[in-house]
Amino acid sequence: MASVACVSLLSEAEFGCEHLTAQLSQDGGAGDQFRASFIKTHNALAPRSRSGESATTQKGLRATTFLKPKYMCLTCSDVFVNGDRKAHTDKTGHQFYMESRSRTLFCQGCGDFVYDYGLERLRSSKAESTLKLAQKRRFSESSTDELYVRSNANKRSCAKQGVRGLFNLGQTCYLNVILQTLLHDPILNTYFLGSGHQSHDCTLSDCIACAVAEAFADFNSSDKAEGFAALNLLLASWRSSSALAGYQQQDAHEYYQFLVDKLHSSTDGHHENHEKGCPCFFHKTFYGKLRSSVTCDKCGNVTRTDDPMVDLSLDVQVQAKKRAMGGAGASSTPTLSGCLESFTSPEKLMAGVYNCSGCGGSAQKATKQLRIKKLPAILCMQLKRYEHTFSVSEKLEGRIDFPMSINMLPYTTNPNSRADKSRYIYDLSSAVVHKGKLDAGITTSTAGRVMRFWILFNDDQVTSVTEADVLSADAYLLFYNLRSLAGAPSQ
């Protein structure tokens, strides 16, 4: 049974935020006055119960007729739209508002909705006992139920503790594995469960970010253990791309590229031209920069081009052939580090491909090299297992060694710098696996890290696996997260 001592230790979670703590903890009856104002505003925004009666509230607010929410100030009862709250707070110092549709409390100091246990008790109480309840003690030592709730309360933004699968809606495993990867990423959870994309303020039709935000809310807000369906994300994807529409099998890597691009374009203030250095959240999270350097073999002139990258496509076939030709044997297992070394190694260009400006624009032999100019926070690497020729397409079967953690500094434009290597360390967060033939019978699953554990998601089937199981998988896509965002390199 919970004790009073346990309750006092958790008293920091008593109020919804620090600003609410200061408001409700004031002496001289100010806290009770705020509680009374909370209930008054709550009742004012409630629709009338009797038929034929108007739903109009004070200040002319009609809560049931707004497609977009309004916000009523708890202090002065003035009503504002989303963009006018800050100006009112700056002018008056009033920080708390109630949203018209769901009647939830918004703190302008936090810039987000807040939940307070005590205020919710007032909301659910009978009208005649509301003010009396507001004046009661915060804790009832004789109430075992209250002590139990308090001692098991925490400050986590959502109550979801477990994992859930995603139902296959008809050849939608490609969508499921990418969405599962995003759902368990801590950076994206902070964004979508915080004050990130605000669906109620979005004016885009068939907005992908709205559909993804809904999936995050659905996944994290329910205590159900069974899977759920990302139907709205599927429909929004179909409407946004005719190539995705229908129940044919799609490639998970191509869907990841599509999804990242749509998330980026759904953000206010984003730049379509990535070369300008877009400041939006998704660009900073998913996009890096790749530098291509071409050196003329005759005069040494170097031509550099920087292009945005959302992933690295690593040719496993090339590395496998190089290892076989080098005498290591065809059975040698390709490695991720070997693929990265091949990707960033100098490559001789065919004669006549490169026209050198240093040689008067004449065609010259040259050497090309790719290096990473800027690394993203979430790094996706595709292991290209497929090789296409005029006569046949084949898939490289078998395992490719990849580590739980990797240092990306050797593959950047400054591989030999004395930079702090810890700023370039990435940790594996998800591994996507393809099983089956190239053109048919492909099933896709993903193994994702959930806290300290690894979980295998195969649509709505969820299985616990070991780290060894993950490392032995025939990975197709690998997702790595930058270990320390505070020390992220700014190339």
Side-chain angles (χ1 to χ4, degrees):
M1 185 60 63
S3 65
V4 177
C6 293
V7 174
S8 63
L9 289 174
L10 288 166
S11 60
E12 62 173 331
E14 180 181 351
F15 302 116
C17 69
E18 58 183 4
H19 308 100
L20 200 55
T21 301
Q23 183 70 42
L24 294 176
S25 300
Q26 292 184 72
D27 296 328
D32 291 339
Q33 184 177 355
F34 181 85
R35 293 179 178 90
S37 177
F38 175 86
I39 291 302
K40 179 182 177 182
T41 306
H42 176 270
N43 294 337
L45 290 174
R48 306 289 179 171
S49 58
R50 294 191 295 272
S51 60
E53 205 168 27
S54 172
T56 303
T57 65
Q58 58 178 312
K59 300 291 182 180
L61 178 63
R62 186 180 295 272
T64 58
T65 59
F66 285 119
L67 295 178
K68 291 186 179 293
K70 302 288 184 179
Y71 296 85
M72 179 177 285
C73 177
L74 264 66
T75 306
C76 64
S77 298
D78 285 345
V79 178
F80 304 93
V81 295
N82 188 41
D84 296 333
R85 287 192 316 265
K86 186 177 185 302
H88 179 68
T89 298
D90 292 342
K91 180 180 178 180
T92 63
H94 302 166
Q95 292 196 81
F96 298 98
Y97 303 82
M98 188 169 289
E99 191 261 344
S100 60
R101 297 183 305 183
S102 60
R103 290 180 286 171
T104 49
L105 186 64
F106 187 94
C107 173
Q108 188 62 38
C110 295
D112 202 355
F113 293 101
V114 294
Y115 171 88
D116 178 79
Y117 174 74
L119 293 178
E120 289 304 312
R121 286 188 64 203
L122 296 179
R123 188 200 297 271
S124 60
S125 301
K126 294 181 180 179
E128 60 269 18
S129 62
T130 293
L131 294 181
K132 291 182 180 180
L133 185 60
Q135 298 171 354
K136 286 186 177 181
R137 296 178 58 189
R138 300 187 191 106
F139 298 106
S140 174
E141 296 180 11
S142 62
S143 172
T144 56
D145 290 339
E146 180 135 316
L147 287 173
Y148 177 81
V149 171
R150 283 303 205 196
S151 62
N152 288 277
N154 58 60
K155 299 178 73 173
R156 193 161 180 251
S157 58
C158 59
K160 184 65 183 174
Q161 299 287 348
V163 292
R164 300 171 66 190
L166 287 164
F167 290 120
N168 194 315
L169 302 176
Q171 302 287 0
T172 59
C173 51
Y174 67 93
L175 180 150
N176 288 354
V177 293
I178 298 302
L179 182 56
Q180 281 287 11
T181 296
L182 303 187
L183 287 171
H184 293 95
D185 186 275
I187 301 174
L188 299 176
N189 267 277
T190 301
Y191 178 84
F192 281 109
L193 299 181
S195 56
H197 188 80
Q198 300 295 324
S199 301
H200 55 269
D201 288 328
C202 183
T203 58
L204 298 176
S205 60
D206 300 319
C207 177
I208 293 293
C210 287
V212 173
E214 178 187 315
F216 269 85
D218 193 3
F219 180 83
N220 287 282
S221 63
S222 175
D223 291 329
K224 295 180 180 179
E226 67 269 19
F228 71 103
L231 179 59
N232 284 342
L233 178 58
L234 178 64
L235 294 178
S237 300
W238 284 4
R239 295 185 182 116
S240 299
S241 172
S242 58
L244 292 174
Y247 292 100
Q248 65 271 24
Q249 181 60 259
Q250 302 288 346
D251 179 62
H253 175 236
E254 293 178 356
Y255 185 71
Y256 171 74
Q257 293 176 320
F258 161 82
L259 196 61
V260 169
D261 179 68
K262 290 300 181 181
L263 288 173
H264 168 259
S265 61
S266 67
T267 308
D268 290 337
H270 73 280
H271 296 160
E272 291 293 347
N273 187 347
H274 292 272
E275 295 179 1
K276 293 183 179 180
C278 180
C280 85
F281 167 83
F282 294 111
H283 189 276
K284 294 178 179 179
T285 302
F286 291 109
Y287 286 87
K289 192 173 291 185
L290 198 62
R291 168 164 291 182
S292 172
S293 300
V294 180
T295 305
C296 176
D297 290 350
K298 181 178 180 180
C299 70
N301 179 58
V302 180
T303 303
R304 295 184 178 89
T305 305
D306 293 341
D307 295 305
M309 71 170 196
V310 73
D311 55 62
L312 293 175
S313 291
L314 307 176
D315 198 330
V316 181
Q317 297 277 7
V318 170
Q319 195 213 353
K321 292 176 181 179
K322 284 183 177 180
R323 294 174 72 90
M325 293 175 62
S331 61
S332 297
T333 303
T335 65
L336 179 63
S337 60
C339 291
L340 286 167
E341 289 170 5
S342 296
F343 182 79
T344 56
S345 294
E347 173 191 2
K348 291 292 183 181
L349 297 180
M350 297 176 58
V353 172
Y354 174 68
N355 295 321
C356 178
S357 59
C359 297
S362 61
Q364 299 291 341
K365 293 182 179 179
T367 302
K368 180 181 178 181
Q369 186 172 27
L370 294 176
R371 286 278 178 180
I372 301 171
K373 172 65 177 175
K374 182 180 180 182
L375 286 160
I378 299 176
L379 177 60
C380 172
M381 289 187 272
Q382 178 205 23
L383 302 177
K384 296 169 63 176
R385 292 176 170 271
Y386 307 109
E387 184 176 53
H388 304 278
T389 64
F390 291 108
S391 58
V392 67
S393 295
E394 60 179 355
K395 175 185 176 184
L396 177 67
E397 301 285 355
R399 184 167 58 91
I400 299 167
D401 281 338
F402 56 92
M404 280 290 168
S405 300
I406 187 169
N407 176 17
M408 293 299 295
L409 179 60
Y411 315 109
T412 65
T413 52
N414 299 304
N416 300 316
S417 68
R418 296 183 179 180
D420 183 3
K421 291 182 174 57
S422 63
R423 299 168 58 197
Y424 295 84
I425 300 299
Y426 282 74
D427 296 313
L428 183 69
S429 62
S430 179
V432 175
V433 178
H434 275 193
K435 292 182 179 179
K437 298 180 180 180
L438 178 63
D439 54 353
I442 298 177
T443 59
T444 314
S445 60
T446 182
R449 187 196 295 270
V450 181
M451 303 297 286
R452 303 186 308 272
F453 307 100
W454 284 95
I455 306 295
L456 177 66
F457 298 94
N458 190 351
D459 291 329
D460 59 318
Q461 300 178 24
V462 180
T463 310
S464 176
V465 293
T466 65
E467 183 177 297
D469 293 330
V470 177
L471 293 177
S472 63
D474 297 346
Y476 171 57
L477 296 177
L478 296 172
F479 290 88
Y480 284 86
N481 275 45
L482 186 61
R483 179 177 296 180
S484 174
L485 292 177
S490 54
Q491 297 102 318

